PDB file of all heavy atoms in Angstrom:
ATOM      1  N   PRO M   1       5.186  10.613  -7.348  1.00  0.00           N
ATOM      2  CA  PRO M   1       3.892  11.051  -6.543  1.00  0.00           C
ATOM      3  C   PRO M   1       2.786   9.970  -6.504  1.00  0.00           C
ATOM      4  O   PRO M   1       2.086   9.779  -5.507  1.00  0.00           O
ATOM      5  CB  PRO M   1       3.539  12.284  -7.246  1.00  0.00           C
ATOM      6  CG  PRO M   1       4.793  12.829  -7.775  1.00  0.00           C
ATOM      7  CD  PRO M   1       5.453  11.652  -8.268  1.00  0.00           C
ATOM      8  N   SER M   2       2.567   9.337  -7.587  1.00  0.00           N
ATOM      9  CA  SER M   2       1.468   8.394  -7.685  1.00  0.00           C
ATOM     10  C   SER M   2       1.767   7.119  -6.873  1.00  0.00           C
ATOM     11  O   SER M   2       0.887   6.470  -6.314  1.00  0.00           O
ATOM     12  CB  SER M   2       1.217   7.936  -9.216  1.00  0.00           C
ATOM     13  OG  SER M   2       2.337   7.553  -9.807  1.00  0.00           O
ATOM     14  N   PHE M   3       3.032   6.666  -6.835  1.00  0.00           N
ATOM     15  CA  PHE M   3       3.446   5.494  -5.990  1.00  0.00           C
ATOM     16  C   PHE M   3       3.361   5.990  -4.513  1.00  0.00           C
ATOM     17  O   PHE M   3       2.953   5.256  -3.672  1.00  0.00           O
ATOM     18  CB  PHE M   3       4.829   5.159  -6.358  1.00  0.00           C
ATOM     19  CG  PHE M   3       5.066   3.716  -5.813  1.00  0.00           C
ATOM     20  CD1 PHE M   3       4.592   2.546  -6.534  1.00  0.00           C
ATOM     21  CD2 PHE M   3       5.665   3.458  -4.493  1.00  0.00           C
ATOM     22  CE1 PHE M   3       4.720   1.160  -6.006  1.00  0.00           C
ATOM     23  CE2 PHE M   3       5.803   2.085  -4.115  1.00  0.00           C
ATOM     24  CZ  PHE M   3       5.447   1.100  -4.797  1.00  0.00           C
ATOM     25  N   GLN M   4       3.734   7.204  -4.227  1.00  0.00           N
ATOM     26  CA  GLN M   4       3.666   7.720  -2.846  1.00  0.00           C
ATOM     27  C   GLN M   4       2.199   7.714  -2.395  1.00  0.00           C
ATOM     28  O   GLN M   4       2.046   7.533  -1.106  1.00  0.00           O
ATOM     29  CB  GLN M   4       4.191   9.114  -2.723  1.00  0.00           C
ATOM     30  CG  GLN M   4       5.651   9.175  -2.982  1.00  0.00           C
ATOM     31  CD  GLN M   4       6.312  10.619  -3.120  1.00  0.00           C
ATOM     32  OE1 GLN M   4       5.660  11.534  -2.726  1.00  0.00           O
ATOM     33  NE2 GLN M   4       7.600  10.608  -3.226  1.00  0.00           N
ATOM     34  N   ASP M   5       1.212   7.951  -3.377  1.00  0.00           N
ATOM     35  CA  ASP M   5      -0.225   7.968  -2.955  1.00  0.00           C
ATOM     36  C   ASP M   5      -0.604   6.524  -2.473  1.00  0.00           C
ATOM     37  O   ASP M   5      -1.326   6.315  -1.408  1.00  0.00           O
ATOM     38  CB  ASP M   5      -1.012   8.291  -4.073  1.00  0.00           C
ATOM     39  CG  ASP M   5      -1.051   9.736  -4.356  1.00  0.00           C
ATOM     40  OD1 ASP M   5      -0.596  10.574  -3.497  1.00  0.00           O
ATOM     41  OD2 ASP M   5      -1.448  10.090  -5.425  1.00  0.00           O
ATOM     42  N   LEU M   6      -0.020   5.530  -3.059  1.00  0.00           N
ATOM     43  CA  LEU M   6      -0.282   4.060  -2.668  1.00  0.00           C
ATOM     44  C   LEU M   6       0.379   3.918  -1.317  1.00  0.00           C
ATOM     45  O   LEU M   6      -0.231   3.080  -0.529  1.00  0.00           O
ATOM     46  CB  LEU M   6       0.372   3.051  -3.647  1.00  0.00           C
ATOM     47  CG  LEU M   6      -0.418   3.042  -5.022  1.00  0.00           C
ATOM     48  CD1 LEU M   6       0.274   2.008  -5.926  1.00  0.00           C
ATOM     49  CD2 LEU M   6      -1.872   2.669  -4.815  1.00  0.00           C
ATOM     50  N   LEU M   7       1.508   4.482  -1.077  1.00  0.00           N
ATOM     51  CA  LEU M   7       2.132   4.187   0.222  1.00  0.00           C
ATOM     52  C   LEU M   7       1.456   4.806   1.324  1.00  0.00           C
ATOM     53  O   LEU M   7       1.280   4.325   2.481  1.00  0.00           O
ATOM     54  CB  LEU M   7       3.635   4.759   0.175  1.00  0.00           C
ATOM     55  CG  LEU M   7       4.539   4.237  -0.735  1.00  0.00           C
ATOM     56  CD1 LEU M   7       6.018   4.921  -0.701  1.00  0.00           C
ATOM     57  CD2 LEU M   7       4.891   2.750  -0.273  1.00  0.00           C
ATOM     58  N   ILE M   8       0.753   5.995   1.061  1.00  0.00           N
ATOM     59  CA  ILE M   8      -0.007   6.602   2.110  1.00  0.00           C
ATOM     60  C   ILE M   8      -1.253   5.799   2.304  1.00  0.00           C
ATOM     61  O   ILE M   8      -1.688   5.625   3.615  1.00  0.00           O
ATOM     62  CB  ILE M   8      -0.417   8.029   1.593  1.00  0.00           C
ATOM     63  CG1 ILE M   8       0.755   9.084   1.570  1.00  0.00           C
ATOM     64  CG2 ILE M   8      -1.589   8.645   2.537  1.00  0.00           C
ATOM     65  CD1 ILE M   8       0.563  10.284   0.873  1.00  0.00           C
ATOM     66  N   GLN M   9      -1.869   5.158   1.407  1.00  0.00           N
ATOM     67  CA  GLN M   9      -2.867   4.177   1.534  1.00  0.00           C
ATOM     68  C   GLN M   9      -2.525   3.113   2.347  1.00  0.00           C
ATOM     69  O   GLN M   9      -3.398   2.629   3.256  1.00  0.00           O
ATOM     70  CB  GLN M   9      -3.500   3.668   0.160  1.00  0.00           C
ATOM     71  CG  GLN M   9      -4.286   4.842  -0.637  1.00  0.00           C
ATOM     72  CD  GLN M   9      -4.751   4.330  -1.912  1.00  0.00           C
ATOM     73  OE1 GLN M   9      -4.728   2.996  -2.236  1.00  0.00           O
ATOM     74  NE2 GLN M   9      -5.055   5.153  -2.809  1.00  0.00           N
ATOM     75  N   ALA M  10      -1.406   2.536   1.975  1.00  0.00           N
ATOM     76  CA  ALA M  10      -0.814   1.264   2.870  1.00  0.00           C
ATOM     77  C   ALA M  10      -0.649   1.623   4.328  1.00  0.00           C
ATOM     78  O   ALA M  10      -0.952   0.851   5.129  1.00  0.00           O
ATOM     79  CB  ALA M  10       0.500   0.888   2.221  1.00  0.00           C
ATOM     80  N   GLU M  11      -0.093   2.837   4.455  1.00  0.00           N
ATOM     81  CA  GLU M  11       0.152   3.268   5.785  1.00  0.00           C
ATOM     82  C   GLU M  11      -1.313   3.413   6.686  1.00  0.00           C
ATOM     83  O   GLU M  11      -1.394   2.997   7.739  1.00  0.00           O
ATOM     84  CB  GLU M  11       0.902   4.669   6.059  1.00  0.00           C
ATOM     85  CG  GLU M  11       0.974   5.258   7.374  1.00  0.00           C
ATOM     86  CD  GLU M  11       1.604   6.681   7.523  1.00  0.00           C
ATOM     87  OE1 GLU M  11       1.668   7.309   6.417  1.00  0.00           O
ATOM     88  OE2 GLU M  11       1.955   7.023   8.584  1.00  0.00           O
ATOM     89  N   GLU M  12      -2.305   3.981   5.979  1.00  0.00           N
ATOM     90  CA  GLU M  12      -3.582   4.186   6.660  1.00  0.00           C
ATOM     91  C   GLU M  12      -4.219   2.877   6.755  1.00  0.00           C
ATOM     92  O   GLU M  12      -4.957   2.623   7.923  1.00  0.00           O
ATOM     93  CB  GLU M  12      -4.499   5.105   5.668  1.00  0.00           C
ATOM     94  CG  GLU M  12      -3.993   6.537   5.715  1.00  0.00           C
ATOM     95  CD  GLU M  12      -4.768   7.304   4.613  1.00  0.00           C
ATOM     96  OE1 GLU M  12      -5.520   6.787   3.832  1.00  0.00           O
ATOM     97  OE2 GLU M  12      -4.443   8.492   4.453  1.00  0.00           O
ATOM     98  N   GLU M  13      -4.167   1.837   5.874  1.00  0.00           N
ATOM     99  CA  GLU M  13      -4.719   0.675   6.028  1.00  0.00           C
ATOM    100  C   GLU M  13      -4.022  -0.263   7.010  1.00  0.00           C
ATOM    101  O   GLU M  13      -4.676  -0.956   7.841  1.00  0.00           O
ATOM    102  CB  GLU M  13      -4.760  -0.065   4.614  1.00  0.00           C
ATOM    103  CG  GLU M  13      -5.432  -1.359   4.668  1.00  0.00           C
ATOM    104  CD  GLU M  13      -6.991  -1.383   4.349  1.00  0.00           C
ATOM    105  OE1 GLU M  13      -7.356  -0.298   3.891  1.00  0.00           O
ATOM    106  OE2 GLU M  13      -7.555  -2.381   4.520  1.00  0.00           O
ATOM    107  N   TYR M  14      -2.629  -0.361   6.956  1.00  0.00           N
ATOM    108  CA  TYR M  14      -1.932  -1.357   7.654  1.00  0.00           C
ATOM    109  C   TYR M  14      -1.014  -0.708   8.743  1.00  0.00           C
ATOM    110  O   TYR M  14      -0.448  -1.507   9.487  1.00  0.00           O
ATOM    111  CB  TYR M  14      -1.157  -2.288   6.699  1.00  0.00           C
ATOM    112  CG  TYR M  14      -2.090  -3.014   5.783  1.00  0.00           C
ATOM    113  CD1 TYR M  14      -2.010  -2.525   4.280  1.00  0.00           C
ATOM    114  CD2 TYR M  14      -2.869  -4.000   6.010  1.00  0.00           C
ATOM    115  CE1 TYR M  14      -2.686  -3.287   3.398  1.00  0.00           C
ATOM    116  CE2 TYR M  14      -3.602  -4.609   5.062  1.00  0.00           C
ATOM    117  CZ  TYR M  14      -3.571  -4.397   3.828  1.00  0.00           C
ATOM    118  OH  TYR M  14      -4.248  -4.990   2.814  1.00  0.00           O
ATOM    119  N   GLY M  15      -0.793   0.399   8.721  1.00  0.00           N
ATOM    120  CA  GLY M  15       0.332   1.102   9.602  1.00  0.00           C
ATOM    121  C   GLY M  15       1.594   0.527   9.014  1.00  0.00           C
ATOM    122  O   GLY M  15       1.817   0.392   7.798  1.00  0.00           O
ATOM    123  N   TYR M  16       2.561   0.174   9.877  1.00  0.00           N
ATOM    124  CA  TYR M  16       3.710  -0.407   9.449  1.00  0.00           C
ATOM    125  C   TYR M  16       3.947  -1.795   9.902  1.00  0.00           C
ATOM    126  O   TYR M  16       5.128  -2.401   9.761  1.00  0.00           O
ATOM    127  CB  TYR M  16       4.895   0.532   9.963  1.00  0.00           C
ATOM    128  CG  TYR M  16       4.939   1.773   9.226  1.00  0.00           C
ATOM    129  CD1 TYR M  16       4.761   3.009  10.049  1.00  0.00           C
ATOM    130  CD2 TYR M  16       5.296   1.947   7.877  1.00  0.00           C
ATOM    131  CE1 TYR M  16       4.780   4.205   9.274  1.00  0.00           C
ATOM    132  CE2 TYR M  16       5.372   3.079   7.166  1.00  0.00           C
ATOM    133  CZ  TYR M  16       4.968   4.152   7.852  1.00  0.00           C
ATOM    134  OH  TYR M  16       5.095   5.485   7.275  1.00  0.00           O
ATOM    135  N   ASN M  17       2.940  -2.402  10.353  1.00  0.00           N
ATOM    136  CA  ASN M  17       2.978  -3.889  10.654  1.00  0.00           C
ATOM    137  C   ASN M  17       2.438  -4.657   9.541  1.00  0.00           C
ATOM    138  O   ASN M  17       1.100  -4.839   9.466  1.00  0.00           O
ATOM    139  CB  ASN M  17       2.241  -4.135  12.000  1.00  0.00           C
ATOM    140  CG  ASN M  17       2.261  -5.546  12.438  1.00  0.00           C
ATOM    141  OD1 ASN M  17       3.135  -6.226  11.961  1.00  0.00           O
ATOM    142  ND2 ASN M  17       1.539  -5.811  13.271  1.00  0.00           N
ATOM    143  N   HIS M  18       3.218  -5.260   8.726  1.00  0.00           N
ATOM    144  CA  HIS M  18       2.748  -5.982   7.636  1.00  0.00           C
ATOM    145  C   HIS M  18       2.954  -7.428   7.707  1.00  0.00           C
ATOM    146  O   HIS M  18       4.127  -7.834   7.865  1.00  0.00           O
ATOM    147  CB  HIS M  18       3.427  -5.533   6.232  1.00  0.00           C
ATOM    148  CG  HIS M  18       3.316  -4.010   6.013  1.00  0.00           C
ATOM    149  ND1 HIS M  18       2.154  -3.613   5.200  1.00  0.00           N
ATOM    150  CD2 HIS M  18       3.957  -2.929   6.261  1.00  0.00           C
ATOM    151  CE1 HIS M  18       2.202  -2.370   5.038  1.00  0.00           C
ATOM    152  NE2 HIS M  18       3.271  -1.769   5.711  1.00  0.00           N
ATOM    153  N   PRO M  19       1.786  -8.173   7.865  1.00  0.00           N
ATOM    154  CA  PRO M  19       1.880  -9.474   8.233  1.00  0.00           C
ATOM    155  C   PRO M  19       2.680 -10.426   7.276  1.00  0.00           C
ATOM    156  O   PRO M  19       3.226 -11.416   7.583  1.00  0.00           O
ATOM    157  CB  PRO M  19       0.454 -10.035   8.391  1.00  0.00           C
ATOM    158  CG  PRO M  19      -0.371  -8.951   7.503  1.00  0.00           C
ATOM    159  CD  PRO M  19       0.467  -7.690   7.660  1.00  0.00           C
ATOM    160  N   LEU M  20       2.784  -9.910   6.031  1.00  0.00           N
ATOM    161  CA  LEU M  20       3.538 -10.805   4.988  1.00  0.00           C
ATOM    162  C   LEU M  20       5.043 -10.551   5.045  1.00  0.00           C
ATOM    163  O   LEU M  20       5.730 -11.148   4.298  1.00  0.00           O
ATOM    164  CB  LEU M  20       2.793 -10.573   3.618  1.00  0.00           C
ATOM    165  CG  LEU M  20       1.414 -10.893   3.392  1.00  0.00           C
ATOM    166  CD1 LEU M  20       0.838 -10.456   2.114  1.00  0.00           C
ATOM    167  CD2 LEU M  20       1.301 -12.452   3.554  1.00  0.00           C
ATOM    168  N   GLY M  21       5.485  -9.596   5.785  1.00  0.00           N
ATOM    169  CA  GLY M  21       6.826  -9.477   5.899  1.00  0.00           C
ATOM    170  C   GLY M  21       7.375  -8.382   4.854  1.00  0.00           C
ATOM    171  O   GLY M  21       8.617  -7.971   4.987  1.00  0.00           O
ATOM    172  N   ALA M  22       6.561  -7.912   4.044  1.00  0.00           N
ATOM    173  CA  ALA M  22       6.936  -6.929   3.027  1.00  0.00           C
ATOM    174  C   ALA M  22       5.749  -5.946   2.900  1.00  0.00           C
ATOM    175  O   ALA M  22       4.666  -6.045   3.483  1.00  0.00           O
ATOM    176  CB  ALA M  22       7.216  -7.414   1.712  1.00  0.00           C
ATOM    177  N   LEU M  23       6.117  -4.738   2.496  1.00  0.00           N
ATOM    178  CA  LEU M  23       5.081  -3.716   2.204  1.00  0.00           C
ATOM    179  C   LEU M  23       3.816  -4.363   1.481  1.00  0.00           C
ATOM    180  O   LEU M  23       3.804  -4.978   0.451  1.00  0.00           O
ATOM    181  CB  LEU M  23       5.578  -2.551   1.345  1.00  0.00           C
ATOM    182  CG  LEU M  23       4.664  -1.408   1.097  1.00  0.00           C
ATOM    183  CD1 LEU M  23       4.232  -0.721   2.384  1.00  0.00           C
ATOM    184  CD2 LEU M  23       5.372  -0.373   0.234  1.00  0.00           C
ATOM    185  N   THR M  24       2.698  -4.019   2.067  1.00  0.00           N
ATOM    186  CA  THR M  24       1.302  -4.561   1.525  1.00  0.00           C
ATOM    187  C   THR M  24       0.535  -3.425   1.005  1.00  0.00           C
ATOM    188  O   THR M  24       0.373  -2.396   1.715  1.00  0.00           O
ATOM    189  CB  THR M  24       0.524  -5.318   2.543  1.00  0.00           C
ATOM    190  OG1 THR M  24       1.338  -6.523   3.129  1.00  0.00           O
ATOM    191  CG2 THR M  24      -0.602  -5.990   1.928  1.00  0.00           C
ATOM    192  N   ILE M  25       0.291  -3.388  -0.248  1.00  0.00           N
ATOM    193  CA  ILE M  25      -0.442  -2.253  -0.887  1.00  0.00           C
ATOM    194  C   ILE M  25      -1.895  -2.554  -1.095  1.00  0.00           C
ATOM    195  O   ILE M  25      -2.195  -3.553  -1.760  1.00  0.00           O
ATOM    196  CB  ILE M  25       0.186  -1.772  -2.205  1.00  0.00           C
ATOM    197  CG1 ILE M  25       1.585  -1.292  -1.797  1.00  0.00           C
ATOM    198  CG2 ILE M  25      -0.466  -0.660  -2.752  1.00  0.00           C
ATOM    199  CD1 ILE M  25       2.381  -0.816  -3.100  1.00  0.00           C
ATOM    200  N   PRO M  26      -2.869  -1.797  -0.414  1.00  0.00           N
ATOM    201  CA  PRO M  26      -4.288  -2.223  -0.554  1.00  0.00           C
ATOM    202  C   PRO M  26      -4.903  -1.547  -1.833  1.00  0.00           C
ATOM    203  O   PRO M  26      -5.688  -0.622  -1.796  1.00  0.00           O
ATOM    204  CB  PRO M  26      -4.884  -1.561   0.663  1.00  0.00           C
ATOM    205  CG  PRO M  26      -4.134  -0.304   0.931  1.00  0.00           C
ATOM    206  CD  PRO M  26      -2.707  -0.664   0.491  1.00  0.00           C
ATOM    207  N   CYS M  27      -4.791  -2.296  -2.962  1.00  0.00           N
ATOM    208  CA  CYS M  27      -5.379  -1.939  -4.243  1.00  0.00           C
ATOM    209  C   CYS M  27      -5.504  -3.089  -5.228  1.00  0.00           C
ATOM    210  O   CYS M  27      -4.880  -4.132  -4.861  1.00  0.00           O
ATOM    211  CB  CYS M  27      -4.726  -0.687  -4.993  1.00  0.00           C
ATOM    212  SG  CYS M  27      -3.104  -1.131  -5.814  1.00  0.00           S
ATOM    213  N   LYS M  28      -6.365  -2.936  -6.173  1.00  0.00           N
ATOM    214  CA  LYS M  28      -6.467  -4.113  -7.030  1.00  0.00           C
ATOM    215  C   LYS M  28      -5.293  -4.409  -7.824  1.00  0.00           C
ATOM    216  O   LYS M  28      -4.585  -3.332  -8.165  1.00  0.00           O
ATOM    217  CB  LYS M  28      -7.678  -3.801  -7.937  1.00  0.00           C
ATOM    218  CG  LYS M  28      -9.075  -3.839  -7.185  1.00  0.00           C
ATOM    219  CD  LYS M  28     -10.183  -3.550  -8.225  1.00  0.00           C
ATOM    220  CE  LYS M  28     -11.593  -3.520  -7.522  1.00  0.00           C
ATOM    221  NZ  LYS M  28     -12.532  -3.237  -8.337  1.00  0.00           N
ATOM    222  N   GLU M  29      -4.958  -5.530  -8.170  1.00  0.00           N
ATOM    223  CA  GLU M  29      -3.905  -5.865  -8.934  1.00  0.00           C
ATOM    224  C   GLU M  29      -3.767  -5.242 -10.204  1.00  0.00           C
ATOM    225  O   GLU M  29      -2.699  -4.738 -10.703  1.00  0.00           O
ATOM    226  CB  GLU M  29      -3.727  -7.438  -9.097  1.00  0.00           C
ATOM    227  CG  GLU M  29      -2.444  -7.832  -9.789  1.00  0.00           C
ATOM    228  CD  GLU M  29      -2.449  -9.443  -9.881  1.00  0.00           C
ATOM    229  OE1 GLU M  29      -2.890 -10.143  -9.098  1.00  0.00           O
ATOM    230  OE2 GLU M  29      -1.817  -9.882 -10.805  1.00  0.00           O
ATOM    231  N   ASP M  30      -4.836  -5.021 -11.037  1.00  0.00           N
ATOM    232  CA  ASP M  30      -4.833  -4.411 -12.365  1.00  0.00           C
ATOM    233  C   ASP M  30      -4.596  -3.062 -12.246  1.00  0.00           C
ATOM    234  O   ASP M  30      -3.850  -2.402 -13.088  1.00  0.00           O
ATOM    235  CB  ASP M  30      -6.019  -4.701 -13.086  1.00  0.00           C
ATOM    236  CG  ASP M  30      -7.411  -4.320 -12.293  1.00  0.00           C
ATOM    237  OD1 ASP M  30      -7.366  -4.132 -11.086  1.00  0.00           O
ATOM    238  OD2 ASP M  30      -8.417  -4.073 -13.007  1.00  0.00           O
ATOM    239  N   ILE M  31      -4.905  -2.399 -11.232  1.00  0.00           N
ATOM    240  CA  ILE M  31      -4.708  -0.933 -10.953  1.00  0.00           C
ATOM    241  C   ILE M  31      -3.160  -0.683 -10.748  1.00  0.00           C
ATOM    242  O   ILE M  31      -2.556   0.111 -11.266  1.00  0.00           O
ATOM    243  CB  ILE M  31      -5.516  -0.313  -9.919  1.00  0.00           C
ATOM    244  CG1 ILE M  31      -6.968  -0.231 -10.360  1.00  0.00           C
ATOM    245  CG2 ILE M  31      -4.984   1.216  -9.546  1.00  0.00           C
ATOM    246  CD1 ILE M  31      -7.829   0.012  -9.220  1.00  0.00           C
ATOM    247  N   PHE M  32      -2.603  -1.665  -9.927  1.00  0.00           N
ATOM    248  CA  PHE M  32      -1.306  -1.489  -9.573  1.00  0.00           C
ATOM    249  C   PHE M  32      -0.343  -1.865 -10.869  1.00  0.00           C
ATOM    250  O   PHE M  32       0.559  -1.097 -11.183  1.00  0.00           O
ATOM    251  CB  PHE M  32      -0.944  -2.582  -8.501  1.00  0.00           C
ATOM    252  CG  PHE M  32       0.665  -2.576  -8.087  1.00  0.00           C
ATOM    253  CD1 PHE M  32       1.095  -1.646  -7.380  1.00  0.00           C
ATOM    254  CD2 PHE M  32       1.428  -3.471  -8.556  1.00  0.00           C
ATOM    255  CE1 PHE M  32       2.404  -1.547  -6.907  1.00  0.00           C
ATOM    256  CE2 PHE M  32       2.732  -3.512  -8.281  1.00  0.00           C
ATOM    257  CZ  PHE M  32       3.248  -2.588  -7.389  1.00  0.00           C
TER     258      PHE M  32
END
């Protein structure tokens, strides 16, 4: 569930078009 929360944030921020070619998660590195 906690990782799914990050996926929801990624969907809200970027949709499914990730310019780097992989899933991009919008959070600070230390939190991740």
Side-chain angles (χ1 to χ4, degrees):
S2 54
F3 198 83
Q4 290 174 6
D5 289 340
L6 289 179
L7 294 176
I8 290 168
Q9 289 178 16
E11 179 186 12
E12 290 171 356
E13 179 90 15
Y14 302 109
Y16 290 111
N17 183 18
H18 298 275
L20 297 173
L23 181 64
T24 305
I25 298 179
C27 76
K28 293 182 180 180
E29 185 179 332
D30 58 338
I31 293 171
F32 181 79

